Amino acid sequence: MFLRNQWYVAGWAHQFEPGAIVARKIVDEPLVLYRAEAGHVVAMEDRCCHRFAPLSRGRLEGDAIRCMYHGMKFASDGRCVEIPAQDVIPEGMRVRVHAVVEKDRWVWVWMGDPARADPDLIPHALYHDDPNWLIGTGQMGYDANYQLIHDNLLDLTHLSFVHENTLGRGSPAWGTARPSVTPIDRGVRVSRWLRDRGTSPYVRMPQQKWDAWASYDFVLPGVFLLRTAFYSTATASGFPDGPPGDLEPAYVIVTSQAVTPVSERETIYYYSGGQLRRHGSSALIRDQIRAFGVAFLEDKAMIEAQQKIIDATPDRSMMTLTFDRATAMFRRLMATLIEQEAKNRARIGRVDLAAAQ
Ligand code: FES
Ligand SMILES: [Fe+2]
């Protein structure tokens, strides 16, 4: 089950080259995307309305796309504008078009009711377009349900175990620190101090211990925005609720990550890593993205193995521990919204049916 009235990341802006046709699937709906001549990205259902051939096997003709089965041509608003073997184009010959917004180097596609596609609902990725920051990007596919990836990101105690030798740096700090978990608009905020922490291999910092304030928002439909700021040790004991804004951190690293459901058992995960330009360098950003890639393969191995067990034992229930609070809050939010959407669809269906009778 998916939320449809949401903006989903369909890819990095650089993946949509002029003249290229890109096929994607989001919430089980095949899409075809391309850049119109004016530069904006167009997203349509990847299904010709004639005999359902995929338009992604088609040909771009200016702003239009031609189905390469029997040649129907569709304008970027989805209207059929040409049928080679027929002069009259019947009313209603069109394919569905989705709203698209390009923001923070991500291409966002609205998968629900077009009337509700409000661009203000799109989360702000951290500094993707800020010249003061260096940002690297990556992505990874999972053969698993997207909510298992949400759970993973909402509970970073796993860094001390899944990532024991990578992001966890052999320290139990992530596993033992008690984060504060607060509801925020459309999501959850999770913050904690990591005390006496060593540095990461991809930062230019003295090899000493630091206190790190790691705080992230996890917001609909599955976007993770983490900022980790390093301070001298003892800062954590002076400011247990997080450092005051006027205390300059020695170093800051950020990451933005978007979980896009492809189908019930496939997910794509887009991630960035960033450092302040005055702190880092392009080489360090490359190292950061490489390190993320290695660590996320650890998540992928664990989550795909977990998915297999879930599928093999569907009647068993999971148990909840105290540190599952953020996970449980976000699962509840998702379940409530999925239920609301299902009720609305049923209500609209009844209205349509009544109108048809
Ligand atoms: S299937 Fe596209 S024109 Fe026939
Ligand atoms: Fe992880």
Side-chain angles (χ1 to χ4, degrees):
M1 282 187 294
F2 309 106
L3 276 179
R4 288 177 193 276
N5 284 322
Q6 297 292 332
W7 293 98
Y8 287 100
V9 172
W12 294 101
H14 65 252
Q15 296 173 327
F16 301 86
E17 300 267 6
I21 295 177
V22 179
R24 290 278 194 269
K25 200 200 286 179
I26 301 179
V27 298
D28 239 350
E29 289 190 31
L31 299 178
V32 58
L33 301 104
Y34 61 90
R35 265 192 205 282
E37 288 179 321
H40 61 277
V41 175
V42 174
M44 296 177 177
E45 60 182 326
D46 192 10
R47 184 191 299 113
C48 175
C49 58
H50 176 222
R51 310 300 289 173
F52 292 179
L55 291 175
S56 55
R57 295 179 73 94
R59 180 169 77 200
L60 287 186
E61 296 185 8
D63 275 355
I65 189 163
R66 187 183 295 279
C67 175
M68 291 303 278
Y69 200 172
H70 314 99
M72 282 174 74
K73 181 167 149 183
F74 298 91
S76 59
D77 64 358
R79 255 178 331 110
C80 175
V81 289
E82 192 185 317
I83 306 176
Q86 182 175 317
D87 295 334
V88 180
I89 301 175
E91 208 40 50
M93 275 286 169
R94 58 182 312 129
V95 292
R96 186 175 173 204
V97 169
H98 294 263
V100 177
V101 171
E102 206 169 321
K103 184 178 153 195
D104 299 331
R105 298 200 207 174
W106 270 331
V107 171
W108 301 83
V109 179
W110 179 261
M111 296 305 295
D113 174 2
R116 297 183 57 186
D118 176 2
D120 288 345
L121 296 174
I122 299 176
H124 293 278
L126 298 176
Y127 314 115
H128 279 184
D129 274 329
D130 186 327
N132 295 319
W133 288 78
L134 293 164
I135 300 286
T137 64
Q139 69 184 63
M140 188 171 288
Y142 279 76
D143 287 327
N145 182 267
Y146 67 100
Q147 292 212 52
L148 295 180
I149 302 164
H150 291 181
D151 295 350
N152 172 274
L153 294 167
L154 283 155
D155 174 10
L156 296 189
T157 61
H158 81 267
L159 266 75
S160 293
F161 302 98
V162 174
H163 308 304
E164 187 177 19
N165 301 313
T166 54
L167 302 177
R169 319 246 165 276
S171 146
W174 282 98
T176 51
R178 301 270 170 90
S180 83
V181 176
T182 40
I184 56 170
D185 187 31
R186 298 170 57 78
V188 186
R189 176 163 299 159
V190 184
S191 314
R192 58 185 29 105
W193 276 113
L194 302 161
R195 293 165 191 250
D196 294 327
R197 189 166 166 72
T199 57
S200 306
Y202 47 80
V203 297
R204 194 184 288 145
M205 292 173 75
Q207 290 296 322
Q208 61 185 60
K209 296 287 184 188
W210 300 89
D211 283 352
W213 176 250
S215 179
Y216 64 92
D217 291 351
F218 194 84
V219 293
L220 293 169
V223 177
F224 172 87
L225 305 162
L226 168 66
R227 182 178 186 274
T228 308
F230 292 82
Y231 299 87
S232 56
T233 48
T235 308
S237 2
F239 304 99
D241 299 327
D246 53 3
L247 192 62
E248 181 70 16
Y251 212 95
V252 185
I253 50 180
V254 293
T255 175
S256 303
Q257 305 176 5
V259 177
T260 299
V262 174
S263 65
E264 287 291 349
R265 287 291 174 273
E266 294 162 282
T267 304
I268 186 152
Y269 178 49
Y270 299 98
Y271 53 88
S272 69
Q275 305 180 21
L276 272 167
R277 192 175 286 276
R278 68 171 188 275
H279 288 163
S281 67
S282 302
L284 287 171
I285 294 294
R286 272 196 300 279
D287 291 347
Q288 184 177 0
I289 290 297
R290 209 173 297 125
F292 281 6
V294 170
F296 298 159
L297 281 173
E298 295 171 330
D299 288 309
K300 178 176 156 77
M302 182 62 85
I303 292 170
E304 290 180 352
Q306 181 193 15
Q307 180 72 69
K308 286 200 178 96
I309 296 182
I310 292 170
D311 288 343
T313 52
D315 299 332
R316 300 285 291 272
S317 313
M318 296 185 192
M319 305 191 102
T320 301
L321 301 172
T322 48
F323 57 81
D324 291 328
R325 198 157 151 246
T327 310
M329 275 167 72
F330 200 79
R331 282 246 175 196
R332 267 200 306 277
L333 175 64
M334 289 292 298
T336 307
L337 294 176
I338 287 173
E339 194 183 332
Q340 269 173 18
E341 283 196 1
K343 275 192 190 144
N344 285 344
R345 269 198 302 277
R347 189 171 48 76
I348 291 165
R350 276 199 301 278
V351 171
D352 286 352
L353 199 62
Q357 282 167 349

